[in-house]
Amino acid sequence: MTFLLVEDFGTTGLEGCYTDSSREGSTENWNAFWFREGEGAKTTKSNGGAGQGKITLYLASHLRSVFALTRRRSDGKDLLFGCCRFKRNYKLPGDDNRWAKEARWGATSDYTQLAVPITDDSIIAGFKSELGLRKTSDPGTTFVVPMPTDEMTETSLRNAVVNEFYFAISRGRLVVDVGDTRIEAASIAGVADQMGAAFRLSKRYREFLELAARNIDGPATSSVRPGWDKESALAVARFDQMELTELKEKFSKSEIVSVDFPVTVKRRPREDVAATFRVFLQLDESAEQSQELFVRQDLGIDGEKRLKAIRTLVPVMALTFVQDAHLSDFLVAAEEPTHRNWNARRPKLVAQYRSPNDLLNAVRNAALRLVKLISPEGSRDETALAMYFADPASELVKRQGGDGTTEAPHGDPRPPLDIPKPRPKPVSIRAKADGFEVIARPVESVVFPLECEVTLAYATVVGDPFKSWDAADFWVADTQSYPREEVGISEVSTNLNRLKFRLETETSSLSMSGFAQDRQLQLRVKYKEVSDGTDHEDN
């Protein structure tokens, strides 16, 4: 049997009471991890608070099981425990008993008693020896995932670490070993270069992040005076004039600049706390479009894209960095479970804070407002290419004939050409009671194979359903719950709610079932011919 081992050191371990599962509170990490659904008990300086991380551990195992050996900072105890979490209560054939969806492994085999962890030193020593765990006295937790899914390769894990924590590792805040590869501040740039297209950010933007990481603890180029967040645009009066002049000069020279933004975090019922976050900017003349990233503590939030709304003469690289504990608490409550986006309507956020939308918009749009203030905005040339195209709204004018005479245009205006019929598509979608089917079909001038990407989500009353997808809805990688039938399909890969595959021929098809029949399933399908499609018969 194979195992995925995730060992962390220098953390607190799973603190709190382990003999009473009813204990609750911000320090009861043990109960939150083992006995709660969708709940976290992490502190401000933690990267998550929704309890989604533990769910992914169970999904990563073919056995839906997780074991953990934790050494606690508070009392130095080693605790060994495990849990198998199914999707529902099961009833075996020929048996009227129903079996609980959760089975815990610990110091007692009596299912009528509370499951408690193993503390026997000899059993723990055997566990460490057999699995080859590191011998260390540092507090922390080792998670053991038996029979990891096929996607859990050293390459995929390395790529995930570099993509998700590039900034934190560049700052020297995190060191990760994946197999024999050590990813740290001195080596992460080289590892990212080896990843090629698997890394989400461009090389130039990575260099910008590394430069920002070295300037995190230094003074900012300028600071904004309080009250800026109550205005629709960032005003010159909110800056010291000398600082603003220096800011514009450095920015125009493509030097990295930084600005501190003060805000007020309004906790319920009536507690106002001052906080500050920092925005880094730099011009990038080599880029085709602006790039940006939000980082809270050490976690990158890459789903928030605000610079798309601005046209600048030169593309801009931006980083919004939040380190303040109170503001970080606020943003934790606003995060979607995937840690990709913020949502001002999250129940936890609304329950704990006043006017959360105002503060969230201030953080989201600070870089955008700063760019508008210090960067000249590009404008559209309405006359571009005008000499090559006639204006259909203009009046007919006299023209000079070939023999030198002037003629006026005769006859009625030419009627518009018939609007061409829409081109048939080589991919069609067929709805099923509990799923869907993607079917290829022959179309003239379209050459198979086709690369196809399907994004799934349950329909929502408000907002974009694809942005509102939640990890609790479904995972397309779970083929036991959402089985697939494939005909002429290759190169299948899954990621959260997205499914990529190749339609090899005009008779290829892929169907998927198992989705909730009482919810409307929405699909977004993209397809394109592969680069070597014209020679596919020779491949």
Side-chain angles (χ1 to χ4, degrees), residues 400-407:
Q400 190 75 20
D403 57 357
T405 60
T406 302
E407 297 179 352

Side-chain angles (χ1 to χ4, degrees), residues 282-298:
Q282 188 176 18
L283 293 176
D284 184 9
E285 297 182 359
S286 62
E288 296 182 358
Q289 59 184 4
S290 297
Q291 302 177 77
E292 62 184 316
L293 182 66
F294 293 81
V295 174
R296 176 186 58 76
Q297 300 288 358
D298 295 319

Side-chain angles (χ1 to χ4, degrees), residues 11 104 151 157 231 238 242 258 271 334 368 389 396 442 490 493 501 529:
T11 57
R104 296 185 174 88
E151 293 86 356
L157 293 172
E231 301 168 347
R238 295 292 175 183
M242 293 184 62
S258 57
E271 179 186 1
L368 174 64
F389 298 95
L396 297 176
S490 65
S493 63
F501 53 91
E529 296 182 31

Side-chain angles (χ1 to χ4, degrees), residues 2 16 23 28 40 72 102 110 118 134 148 170 195 216 220 245 254-255 261-262 327 347 486 507 520 529:
T2 57
R23 291 277 189 93
E28 298 296 333
R72 294 141 57 100
E102 292 182 347
D110 186 351
I118 292 173
R134 294 186 185 181
S170 298
M195 290 170 56
I216 276 295
T245 301
S254 296
E255 298 179 20
F261 288 81
L327 184 55
E486 303 169 6
T507 60
Q520 181 181 346
E529 296 182 31

Side-chain angles (χ1 to χ4, degrees), residues 7 29 39 58 130 134 139 198 211 218 233 274 308 337 363 421 462:
E7 299 182 271
N29 299 87
E39 176 184 335
Y58 290 101
E130 184 161 345
R134 294 186 185 181
L211 186 58
K308 289 181 178 179
V363 177
K421 295 181 180 180
V462 179

Side-chain angles (χ1 to χ4, degrees), residues 20 86 95 107 232 281 304 449 490 504:
D20 182 1
F86 299 104
D95 188 349
S232 59
L281 294 179
E304 295 286 336
S490 65
E504 292 292 345

Side-chain angles (χ1 to χ4, degrees), residues 231-248:
E231 301 168 347
S232 59
L234 201 56
V236 173
R238 295 292 175 183
F239 289 83
D240 177 273
Q241 292 306 306
M242 293 184 62
E243 289 184 354
L244 182 59
T245 301
E246 180 187 7
L247 180 68
K248 290 184 175 181

